[in-house]
Coordinates of all heavy atoms in Angstrom, one line a residue:
L536 N 68.9 -58.3 101.7 CA 69.2 -56.9 101.9 C 68.5 -56.1 100.8 O 68.0 -55.0 101.1 CB 70.7 -56.7 101.9 CG 71.5 -57.2 103.2 CD1 72.9 -56.9 103.0 CD2 71.0 -56.5 104.4
Y540 N 66.1 -53.1 101.4 CA 66.6 -51.7 101.3 C 66.4 -51.0 100.0 O 66.6 -49.8 99.9 CB 68.0 -51.6 101.8 CG 68.2 -51.9 103.3 CD1 68.7 -53.1 103.7 CD2 67.8 -51.0 104.2 CE1 68.9 -53.4 105.0 CE2 67.9 -51.3 105.6 CZ 68.4 -52.5 106.0 OH 68.6 -52.8 107.3
L795 N 74.0 -54.2 91.6 CA 75.0 -54.3 92.7 C 76.3 -55.0 92.1 O 77.4 -54.6 92.5 CB 74.5 -55.1 93.9 CG 73.9 -54.3 95.0 CD1 73.7 -55.1 96.2 CD2 74.6 -53.0 95.3
F798 N 78.3 -52.5 90.2 CA 79.0 -51.6 91.1 C 80.2 -52.3 91.8 O 81.3 -51.8 91.9 CB 78.1 -51.0 92.1 CG 78.7 -49.9 92.9 CD1 79.2 -48.7 92.3 CD2 78.9 -50.0 94.3 CE1 79.9 -47.7 93.0 CE2 79.6 -49.0 95.0 CZ 80.0 -47.9 94.4
Q812 N 88.3 -45.3 97.5 CA 86.9 -45.0 97.3 C 86.6 -43.7 98.0 O 87.0 -43.5 99.2 CB 86.0 -46.1 97.8 CG 84.6 -45.9 97.4 CD 83.6 -47.0 97.7 OE1 84.1 -48.1 98.2 NE2 82.3 -46.8 97.6
M815 N 80.2 -42.2 98.5 CA 79.3 -43.3 98.0 C 79.7 -43.8 96.6 O 79.6 -45.0 96.3 CB 77.9 -42.6 97.9 CG 76.8 -43.4 97.4 SD 75.2 -42.5 97.6 CE 75.4 -41.1 96.5
L905 N 78.3 -38.6 107.2 CA 78.2 -40.0 106.8 C 78.4 -40.2 105.4 O 79.1 -41.2 105.0 CB 76.7 -40.5 107.2 CG 76.5 -40.7 108.7 CD1 75.0 -41.0 109.0 CD2 77.4 -41.8 109.2
F909 N 81.7 -42.1 106.0 CA 81.1 -43.3 106.5 C 81.4 -43.5 108.0 O 81.5 -44.6 108.6 CB 81.7 -44.6 105.8 CG 81.4 -44.5 104.3 CD1 82.4 -44.4 103.4 CD2 80.1 -44.7 103.9 CE1 82.2 -44.3 102.0 CE2 79.8 -44.6 102.5 CZ 80.9 -44.5 101.6
P941 N 69.5 -51.7 110.1 CA 70.9 -51.7 109.6 C 71.9 -52.3 110.5 O 72.8 -52.9 110.1 CB 71.1 -50.2 109.3 CG 69.7 -49.7 109.0 CD 68.8 -50.5 109.9
V942 N 71.7 -52.1 111.8 CA 72.7 -52.6 112.7 C 72.6 -54.2 112.7 O 73.6 -54.9 112.6 CB 72.5 -52.1 114.2 CG1 73.3 -52.9 115.2 CG2 73.0 -50.6 114.2
H944 N 71.6 -56.0 110.4 CA 72.0 -56.5 109.1 C 73.5 -56.3 108.9 O 74.0 -56.6 107.8 CB 71.2 -55.9 108.0 CG 69.7 -56.3 108.0 ND1 68.7 -55.4 107.8 CD2 69.1 -57.5 108.3 CE1 67.6 -56.0 108.0 NE2 67.8 -57.3 108.3
G945 N 74.2 -55.8 109.9 CA 75.7 -55.6 109.7 C 76.0 -54.5 108.8 O 77.1 -54.5 108.2
L946 N 75.2 -53.5 108.6 CA 75.5 -52.4 107.7 C 76.1 -51.2 108.5 O 76.8 -50.4 108.0 CB 74.2 -51.8 107.0 CG 73.4 -52.9 106.3 CD1 72.2 -52.2 105.6 CD2 74.2 -53.6 105.3
V947 N 75.8 -51.2 109.8 CA 76.2 -50.1 110.7 C 76.7 -50.7 112.0 O 76.1 -51.6 112.5 CB 75.0 -49.1 111.0 CG1 75.4 -48.1 112.0 CG2 74.6 -48.4 109.7
E948 N 77.8 -50.1 112.5 CA 78.3 -50.5 113.9 C 78.1 -49.2 114.8 O 78.6 -48.1 114.4 CB 79.7 -50.9 113.9 CG 79.9 -52.3 113.3 CD 81.3 -52.7 113.0 OE1 82.2 -51.8 113.2 OE2 81.5 -53.8 112.4
D955 N 79.8 -46.2 112.7 CA 80.6 -46.5 111.6 C 79.7 -47.3 110.6 O 79.0 -48.2 111.0 CB 81.8 -47.3 112.0 CG 82.9 -46.5 112.6 OD1 83.5 -45.8 111.8 OD2 83.0 -46.4 113.8
V956 N 79.8 -46.9 109.3 CA 79.2 -47.7 108.3 C 80.2 -48.7 107.8 O 81.3 -48.4 107.5 CB 78.8 -46.7 107.1 CG1 78.1 -47.5 106.0 CG2 77.9 -45.6 107.7
T957 N 79.7 -50.0 107.8 CA 80.6 -51.1 107.4 C 80.8 -51.1 105.9 O 80.1 -50.4 105.1 CB 80.0 -52.5 107.8 OG1 78.8 -52.6 107.1 CG2 79.7 -52.5 109.3
A958 N 81.8 -52.0 105.4 CA 82.1 -52.1 104.0 C 80.8 -52.4 103.3 O 80.5 -51.9 102.2 CB 83.1 -53.1 103.8
R959 N 80.0 -53.4 103.8 CA 78.8 -53.8 103.2 C 77.7 -52.6 103.3 O 77.0 -52.5 102.4 CB 78.3 -54.9 104.1 CG 77.4 -55.9 103.4 CD 77.2 -57.0 104.4 NE 76.7 -58.1 103.7 CZ 75.8 -58.9 104.2 NH1 75.4 -58.8 105.5 NH2 75.4 -59.9 103.5
G960 N 77.8 -51.9 104.4 CA 76.8 -50.8 104.6 C 77.0 -49.7 103.6 O 76.0 -49.0 103.3
R961 N 78.2 -49.6 103.0 CA 78.5 -48.5 102.1 C 77.5 -48.5 100.9 O 77.1 -47.5 100.4 CB 79.9 -48.6 101.6 CG 80.9 -48.2 102.6 CD 82.3 -48.3 102.0 NE 83.2 -47.8 103.0 CZ 84.3 -47.1 102.7 NH1 84.6 -46.8 101.5 NH2 85.1 -46.6 103.6
L962 N 77.1 -49.7 100.5 CA 76.2 -49.9 99.3 C 74.9 -49.3 99.7 O 74.1 -48.9 98.8 CB 76.1 -51.3 99.0 CG 77.3 -52.1 98.5 CD1 77.1 -53.6 98.4 CD2 77.7 -51.5 97.1
F963 N 74.6 -49.2 101.0 CA 73.2 -48.8 101.4 C 73.3 -47.5 102.2 O 72.5 -47.2 103.0 CB 72.6 -49.9 102.2 CG 72.4 -51.2 101.5 CD1 73.4 -52.2 101.7 CD2 71.4 -51.4 100.6 CE1 73.3 -53.4 101.0 CE2 71.3 -52.6 99.9 CZ 72.2 -53.6 100.1
I964 N 74.3 -46.7 101.9 CA 74.6 -45.4 102.6 C 73.4 -44.5 102.6 O 73.0 -43.8 103.6 CB 75.9 -44.7 102.2 CG1 76.2 -43.5 103.1 CG2 75.9 -44.3 100.7 CD1 76.5 -43.8 104.5
R965 N 72.7 -44.5 101.4 CA 71.5 -43.6 101.3 C 70.5 -44.0 102.3 O 69.8 -43.2 103.0 CB 70.9 -43.6 99.9 CG 71.8 -42.9 98.9 CD 71.5 -43.2 97.5 NE 70.3 -42.7 96.9 CZ 69.8 -42.9 95.7 NH1 70.6 -43.6 94.8 NH2 68.7 -42.4 95.3
N966 N 70.3 -45.4 102.5 CA 69.3 -45.8 103.5 C 69.7 -45.5 104.9 O 68.8 -45.1 105.7 CB 69.2 -47.4 103.4 CG 68.8 -47.8 102.0 OD1 69.6 -48.0 101.1 ND2 67.5 -48.0 101.8
V967 N 71.0 -45.5 105.2 CA 71.5 -45.2 106.5 C 71.1 -43.7 106.8 O 70.6 -43.4 107.9 CB 73.0 -45.5 106.7 CG1 73.5 -45.0 108.1 CG2 73.3 -47.0 106.5
C968 N 71.4 -42.9 105.8 CA 71.2 -41.4 106.0 C 69.7 -41.2 106.2 O 69.3 -40.2 106.9 CB 71.7 -40.6 104.8 SG 73.5 -40.7 104.8
T989 N 67.3 -46.6 95.8 CA 68.6 -46.4 96.5 C 69.7 -47.3 96.0 O 70.9 -47.0 96.1 CB 68.4 -46.6 98.0 OG1 67.8 -47.9 98.2 CG2 67.6 -45.5 98.7
V990 N 69.3 -48.4 95.3 CA 70.4 -49.3 94.8 C 70.5 -49.1 93.3 O 69.4 -49.0 92.6 CB 70.1 -50.8 95.1 CG1 71.1 -51.7 94.4 CG2 70.2 -51.0 96.6

Side-chain angles (χ1 to χ4, degrees):
L536 288 177
Y540 293 108
L795 268 196
F798 186 63
Q812 191 175 351
M815 181 172 65
L905 285 172
F909 300 112
V942 166
H944 295 137
L946 308 183
V947 171
E948 284 166 4
D955 282 286
V956 180
T957 62
R959 207 174 197 214
R961 288 179 173 217
L962 296 169
F963 301 99
I964 183 67
R965 287 163 72 179
N966 301 83
V967 175
C968 291
T989 53
V990 173

